[in-house]
Amino acid sequence: GSDSGDDWVGWVSAAGSKTILTVPALDWVSKDTTSYSFPKSIYPDQAKFDPYNADAGNGLLANGSWISPAPNPTSVYTPWNTTLAKKWLRGLVNKPDIVNIDNEIEIASSTHYDMHPTPLDYDEELSRIVAFATAAKEALPNVKVAAPSTCSWWFYWTSVVGWSDNTAHGNQDFLPWFLSQMKAKETAIGKRLLDYLDIHYYFQPDTSANDDAAKALRLRMTRSLWDPGYVDESWIANSTQNHQPNNRAVWLIPRMQQLIAQNYPGTKLSISEWDSSNDGDITGGLVTADCLGIFGRYGVDSATYWATPDEKGPAGLAYWLYRGYGTYFGSNSVQVNMADNIDNIFGLYAGVDSGKVSLVFVNKNTSPMAFYISNVPTGKYFVRHFGGASGNAKWQTTTVLKANTYTVIPAYTALFMKQV
């Protein structure tokens, strides 16, 4: 396929989806697709080299330190600035709906050491985001801007510089400080430059063993997205790294919405990177289905999966469950109630669209779940599901719901119903 951002935006738009395009916000962009910064011929003592190009090194010495001084960026990159960004954006045939201002720019001194070896502090990150957000809005007046696309929980609250940076900014954690600064900028210029607070979120509990205990942990850790009483089963629970309340819990979505309400009301919430922790395991598919339901229930405005799961694998089938073959889960959330508090092993989500109710049930348990469905419109429903004893198999049919319908969902199964 094409490497052109313009072509990509056109393809995604034609498929009926909203589009996000990243605008670089450092001082350099790649000049071609073949150059590299750390050739073995100049730096022979590097720890690793590209298996497909024995001369291209990773820039790190055996002790883990970077080669110093950093190489001259002009050997690999070409200059980039807001003027060039505006020219590029204006020249796009296919205009994006949202632009992200860079990507995980706070860690550029490690991900892009060869062009920005100096750690970014609060002020530089803010300055770059303001400059390129301004450029994006000038070039595309209708575009929405998302930032700062922060990589992880740790950097929601501080910078690579460390706690001295927090101290220099009134002991404020980074994201609330950033939101307040963007609000102040709007007040100063009379124009909103930030439409979405954008973050990346990856579950922190270690599920790499993928044994029964790890799978159970994977399935219950989705509670970190919404539950203030769920103490994160990772390093986060034992960290005093931020000044936030209830900081042994992630409580991600309500926490971020609260920060927005306190510091820059009207800003939307985007999670532009997240994943299931194991796309190839059925539990990863169930986590994906659970997360999609949670995003709808708690009002996440935009979310994109990292990266591209197999369409027929567990994570891909979670998307099929909600949106496959033109039959979609309702676009407006509906309150649902369960008789028992079983969030560790079961998820239930409801939506409505054009007067038609849709339901998703996620059985995260290792045994079947039996219950009655009541207080929903009676009649014929389209049904599909994946998971169960057959693993990734998908299946669809129709059924009839009565006033009080007894239902059994197999173990490790996600089920979709939509009123016909």
Side-chain angles (χ1 to χ4, degrees):
S2 172
D3 289 331
S4 162
D6 202 345
D7 290 347
W8 181 86
V9 169
W11 172 69
V12 175
S13 295
S17 294
K18 297 293 185 180
T19 54
I20 300 174
L21 186 65
T22 298
V23 176
L26 296 173
D27 298 329
W28 305 89
V29 292
S30 296
K31 69 178 183 181
D32 55 43
T33 60
T34 57
S35 299
Y36 46 93
S37 293
F38 300 103
K40 187 175 184 178
S41 55
I42 299 176
Y43 308 107
D45 298 326
Q46 296 174 77
K48 291 183 180 179
F49 295 89
D50 187 340
Y52 302 102
N53 182 349
D55 190 50
N58 67 352
L60 293 172
L61 301 175
N63 65 4
S65 64
W66 286 102
I67 286 171
S68 183
N72 186 335
T74 59
S75 64
V76 175
Y77 301 109
T78 187
W80 180 253
N81 54 42
T82 54
T83 300
L84 293 170
K86 285 189 284 188
K87 180 180 179 181
W88 174 55
L89 291 170
R90 285 173 177 147
L92 293 173
V93 174
N94 302 291
K95 310 300 186 186
D97 297 292
I98 301 170
V99 293
N100 282 14
I101 305 303
D102 216 281
N103 180 68
E104 301 183 350
I105 194 172
E106 73 282 354
I107 55 171
S109 57
S110 59
T111 58
H112 295 81
Y113 171 80
D114 52 350
M115 71 163 75
H116 197 292
T118 305
L120 268 85
D121 60 15
Y122 279 28
D123 295 314
E124 183 181 359
E125 182 168 354
L126 176 68
S127 175
R128 289 182 178 278
I129 289 171
V130 167
F132 282 89
T134 301
K137 294 276 189 176
E138 290 177 359
L140 303 175
N142 295 324
V143 82
K144 302 300 183 183
V145 167
S149 304
T150 308
C151 70
S152 67
W153 176 265
W154 183 272
F155 291 109
Y156 299 167
W157 315 121
T158 192
S159 71
V160 172
V161 172
W163 282 112
S164 61
D165 210 5
N166 295 64
T167 301
H169 295 86
N171 287 320
Q172 294 182 79
D173 293 334
F174 177 71
L175 283 183
W177 176 85
F178 171 75
L179 285 166
S180 67
Q181 293 300 305
M182 295 306 293
K183 180 183 179 183
K185 188 66 179 178
E186 179 184 358
T187 301
I189 67 173
K191 180 179 180 179
R192 175 181 278 273
L193 296 178
L194 181 74
D195 300 289
Y196 290 84
L197 173 66
D198 183 49
I199 57 173
H200 298 169
Y201 183 65
Y202 293 98
F203 297 106
Q204 292 302 294
D206 182 5
T207 60
S208 58
N210 209 40
D211 54 16
D212 289 347
K215 290 180 180 183
L217 172 56
R218 179 179 298 126
L219 290 165
R220 68 176 176 267
M221 69 188 181
T222 58
R223 289 174 58 193
S224 70
L225 293 171
W226 62 270
D227 188 349
Y230 177 69
V231 176
D232 209 67
E233 297 174 78
S234 74
W235 63 270
I236 289 174
N238 300 313
S239 172
T240 56
Q241 179 258 350
N242 62 70
H243 302 93
Q244 299 303 301
N246 191 25
N247 62 7
R248 298 188 69 208
V250 173
W251 190 44
L252 186 76
I253 299 168
R255 184 186 296 278
M256 293 299 153
Q257 291 169 334
Q258 187 177 87
L259 289 179
I260 288 168
Q262 292 170 345
N263 295 284
Y264 196 6
T267 307
K268 294 182 177 181
L269 176 61
S270 167
I271 305 173
S272 66
E273 284 189 25
W274 67 281
D275 73 5
S276 72
S277 82
N278 191 329
D279 290 355
D281 191 88
I282 186 61
T283 58
L286 297 175
V287 164
T288 305
D290 205 24
C291 288
L292 292 173
I294 291 167
F295 291 164
R297 176 185 291 172
Y298 288 94
V300 174
D301 298 291
S302 173
T304 48
Y305 198 86
W306 183 264
T308 309
D310 178 359
E311 182 180 353
K312 296 180 180 180
L317 287 175
Y319 280 87
W320 165 83
L321 187 79
Y322 281 90
R323 300 188 60 80
Y325 307 137
T327 301
Y328 300 154
F329 184 79
S331 57
N332 298 294
S333 291
V334 176
Q335 181 178 343
V336 293
N337 298 301
M338 293 188 291
D340 300 304
N341 183 12
I342 52 174
D343 297 300
N344 282 344
I345 57 173
F346 197 77
L348 172 57
Y349 307 100
V352 64
D353 196 18
S354 301
K356 301 294 185 181
V357 170
S358 49
L359 303 164
V360 165
F361 306 86
V362 184
N363 182 8
K364 301 185 283 184
N365 203 4
T366 54
S367 59
M369 297 285 287
F371 51 88
Y372 286 93
I373 300 175
S374 58
N375 298 317
V376 298
T378 58
K380 194 173 182 180
Y381 280 72
F382 171 79
V383 178
R384 62 183 171 214
H385 67 71
F386 75 93
S390 57
N392 298 345
K394 56 184 181 180
W395 175 82
Q396 52 192 43
T397 186
T398 57
T399 191
V400 174
L401 292 187
K402 300 178 181 179
N404 200 29
T405 303
Y406 184 72
T407 305
V408 179
I409 299 181
Y412 277 2
T413 294
L415 173 74
F416 171 97
M417 289 184 173
K418 186 164 186 177
Q419 190 181 6
V420 176

